Amino acid sequence: MTTILAVRRNGQVAVCGDGQVSMDKTISKGDARKVRRIAGGKVVAGFAGRTADAFALLERLEAKLEQYPTQLTRACVELAKDWRTDRALRQLEALLIVANSETTLMISGLGDVIEPEAMEEGGVIAIGSGGNYAQSAALALIQNTDLPAEEIAREALAIAGKIDVFTNDKITMEVIS
């Protein structure tokens, strides 16, 4: 599995992920890029789960963003509806975190489109095997430091990597201000 984390603070959103690809109990690759820009660079997406499934979903999301170019939430809801109701898509096993300058969302194959809880200082959401660890660390850092979103995300993912065996320290990060 993997860990993907999004941290929003002071008008900046940072989405980061580790690079580990595992097959059962074996590390197959350590530097995969699971966070990338889509929709002409206006949206950052990170994925956890089966890689081919995630790429298929990212292609579908980009098509939805072409239909609804300024409506990230609508595009994600439409993707989630298709994912939940389409017989072939229902078989895909992945989770997505997407963010633009205004919104951060997690999308699942169960039809979930979840926006992180709004906090005075920002918001945090994470997915993957180390997601709970990264999210907990990021929440603690938001509440107890003045670090920017990018540094909080990097530190929180590093903490998750020390706890979760399926998360490593090869971090890919994309930031939108």
Side-chain angles (χ1 to χ4, degrees):
M1 202 86 178
T2 195
T3 303
I4 304 295
L5 171 67
V7 176
R8 186 175 291 276
R9 185 177 219 188
N10 298 329
Q12 183 183 64
V13 64
V15 180
C16 65
D18 75 303
Q20 186 164 307
V21 176
S22 304
M23 294 180 69
D24 194 26
K25 297 175 185 170
T26 305
I27 298 169
S28 301
K29 182 176 175 145
D31 63 351
R33 186 171 173 81
K34 301 173 195 169
V35 174
R36 55 196 62 226
R37 287 184 179 266
I38 60 173
K42 294 178 182 172
V43 174
V44 175
F47 63 86
R50 300 195 184 276
T51 306
D53 293 356
F55 283 138
L57 291 166
L58 287 174
E59 285 177 13
R60 296 267 183 159
L61 178 58
E62 284 200 275
K64 296 294 182 188
L65 287 167
E66 286 177 13
Q67 278 183 279
Y68 312 105
T70 60
Q71 301 175 58
L72 179 61
T73 302
R74 172 109 188 252
C76 291
V77 168
E78 293 298 324
L79 173 65
K81 286 183 351 189
D82 289 352
W83 193 355
R84 180 88 172 125
T85 58
D86 183 276
R87 189 174 184 170
L89 287 179
R90 255 195 322 254
Q91 306 304 313
L92 300 182
E93 295 181 25
L95 291 169
L96 302 176
I97 286 181
V98 296
N100 65 10
S101 60
E102 301 156 1
T103 306
T104 304
L105 301 166
M106 186 275 293
I107 313 165
S108 82
L110 299 174
D112 300 314
V113 178
I114 299 171
E115 187 171 15
E117 184 175 349
M119 302 166 36
E120 277 185 40
E121 298 88 6
V124 176
I125 197 161
I127 57 175
S129 60
N132 290 335
Y133 308 122
Q135 186 166 351
S136 296
L139 288 170
L141 289 166
I142 279 182
Q143 291 175 1
N144 297 299
T145 71
D146 290 327
L147 295 173
E150 183 175 0
E151 290 182 42
I152 289 171
R154 189 175 308 283
E155 284 297 315
L157 201 65
I159 290 167
K162 291 178 182 175
I163 300 168
D164 179 45
V165 297
F166 296 106
T167 301
N168 71 13
D169 61 356
K170 305 287 192 287
I171 296 173
T172 301
M173 173 123 31
E174 292 288 344
V175 178
I176 297 176
S177 296

